[in-house]
Amino acid sequence: MTPRKILIDTDPGQDDAVAILLALAAPEELEVLAITVVAGNVPLEKTSRNARVICELAGRRDVPVHEGCAAPLERPLVTAEHVHGKSGLDGHDLPEPTMPVADLHAVEAIIHHIRREPRGSVTLCALGPLTNVASALLKAPEIAERLGGIVLMGGAYFEVGNVTPAAEFNIYVDPEAAKIVLKSGIEITMMPLDVTHKALITRDWLDGISTLDTPAIRAVCGWLDFYERFDMEKYGGKGGPLHDPCVIAWLLRPELFSGRHVNVEIETQSELTRGMTVADWWRVTDRAANATFIGDLDADGFFDLLTERLAAL
Ligand code: BDR
Ligand code: CA
């Protein structure tokens, strides 16, 4: 089987880090062409640093890391240090990266790879605000037809918001970018909070993987221990959600997930509901479906997949 070619656009973040490690741990199924970083959880210089730390941890200095947009298309940046810590990757200290930042701007890199690879062969995995992705679509609209699809973490319907009562963080930070992506006509699979809030880290799982004691697992355990505290306090002790790894897990084991192909619109105007993903889950409008909105997953299968792949790194 030839591996599926992917681009990972990300704002690491501990859950982004686990997603990246999961992708790098699956070389037979996934070829990571490049990692493009965007401002989100923390400012751009930190997401860039963190992406390179993660590549070096995985022994993959060969994966180019491109720096992209430092701020959303039309708004000031909102960050999430209250969740991820000052570095964005608090919880386990690793050496500062020595691999350089790749030459091209992330937006150019996205365009370059999609133009260069055969039509339909590249899947874009978006784990942060959609600023880089939307900028690439604005700059080179023809890439929409060449992309094999976008799988993104973002949005919420039944779970409503995690950053405001109405909005999920990635969409809230850059709703204008999300709107461009959702209107692009590209095949989109969305991992909203509805599903990621079912991918809850448990103490048993963390204790179980910690016995494997590899450098990657030690980092994952330290990061997740730190990261899950915030959500456990907020949601009441159930375990932190592993949002972004759902994107990569879907590529590896789509049968673990289920959802509906529906219309999803992005609210950009309202002060109260900015960034809300208005998903027509019950198909009460005749607006055309533009995304597969995932709602459920087999959590045991998901965590077994993570254990098996992370152990092999
Ligand atoms: C999303 O926001 C970030 O904090 C996480 O990395 C994830 O991508 C969840 O709302
Ligand atoms: Ca993220």
Side-chain angles (χ1 to χ4, degrees):
M1 189 175 87
T2 23
R4 184 202 287 242
K5 295 173 197 290
I6 64 169
L7 292 168
I8 302 181
D9 189 73
T10 176
D11 62 336
Q14 293 89 348
D15 62 322
D16 303 69
V18 177
I20 294 168
L21 290 178
L22 181 62
L24 295 177
E28 283 172 13
E29 292 113 310
L30 302 175
E31 179 188 352
V32 182
L33 297 173
I35 294 176
T36 54
V37 290
V38 67
N41 286 323
V42 284
L44 185 69
E45 68 272 12
K46 290 187 179 164
T47 59
S48 167
R49 176 234 177 226
N50 294 347
R52 288 176 287 129
V53 164
I54 297 158
C55 289
E56 292 193 1
L57 172 67
R60 294 297 305 275
R61 295 171 57 91
D62 59 301
V63 178
V65 173
H66 301 266
E67 289 181 354
C69 301
L73 296 182
E74 296 179 20
R75 298 170 189 264
L77 177 64
V78 176
T79 52
E81 284 88 354
H82 58 294
V83 183
H84 300 273
K86 226 172 161 210
S87 72
L89 214 46
D90 282 19
H92 184 82
D93 290 337
L94 286 166
E96 285 307 304
T98 57
M99 65 184 273
V101 175
D103 279 348
L104 279 184
H105 187 279
V107 172
E108 295 297 343
I110 291 170
I111 295 169
H112 164 80
H113 283 289
I114 297 169
R115 280 187 181 152
R116 192 185 61 175
E117 300 295 339
R119 179 182 289 266
S121 69
V122 176
T123 302
L124 209 160
C125 302
L127 313 179
L130 290 159
T131 321
N132 286 343
V133 180
S135 301
L137 287 166
L138 287 173
K139 195 154 193 198
E142 82 282 359
I143 62 171
E145 307 191 316
R146 296 192 59 84
L147 251 187
I150 294 179
V151 190
L152 67 90
M153 190 283 136
Y157 178 68
F158 293 101
E159 285 286 302
V160 286
N162 62 355
V163 63
T164 72
E168 179 281 326
F169 178 79
N170 288 340
I171 308 295
Y172 176 79
V173 172
D174 200 341
E176 285 76 19
K179 189 168 198 157
I180 290 168
V181 172
L182 265 299
K183 289 214 178 291
S184 65
I186 298 167
E187 195 176 314
I188 293 172
T189 305
M190 285 178 82
M191 296 291 164
L193 299 180
D194 306 84
V195 64
T196 67
H197 280 182
K198 292 172 182 153
L200 296 179
I201 304 159
T202 63
R203 193 38 49 190
D204 279 356
W205 180 73
L206 266 187
D207 289 347
I209 60 162
S210 68
T211 62
L212 298 167
D213 203 30
T214 65
I217 298 272
R218 277 199 293 280
V220 167
C221 289
W223 289 332
L224 295 187
D225 210 37
F226 177 90
Y227 159 87
E228 76 162 355
R229 274 183 216 150
F230 173 80
D231 283 290
M232 284 174 75
E233 271 168 36
K234 179 167 161 193
Y235 294 109
K238 282 202 259 144
L242 270 186
H243 305 285
D244 295 336
C246 289
V247 168
I248 306 296
W250 182 84
L251 293 176
L252 297 172
R253 298 278 309 277
E255 70 281 5
L256 295 176
F257 296 84
S258 59
R260 291 188 183 185
H261 191 230
V262 295
N263 176 268
V264 182
E265 302 289 332
I266 309 293
E267 176 57 57
T268 56
Q269 301 296 317
S270 158
E271 243 178 71
L272 206 55
T273 60
R274 152 186 171 185
M276 186 173 190
T277 46
V278 181
D280 189 5
W281 184 260
W282 301 112
R283 299 191 180 107
V284 291
T285 72
D286 53 11
R287 295 195 285 259
N290 57 351
T292 301
F293 202 79
I294 302 293
D296 211 349
L297 95 163
D298 167 355
D300 290 342
F302 171 79
F303 281 99
D304 287 349
L305 173 71
L306 274 174
T307 308
E308 175 198 314
R309 297 311 174 98
L310 294 179
L313 257 183

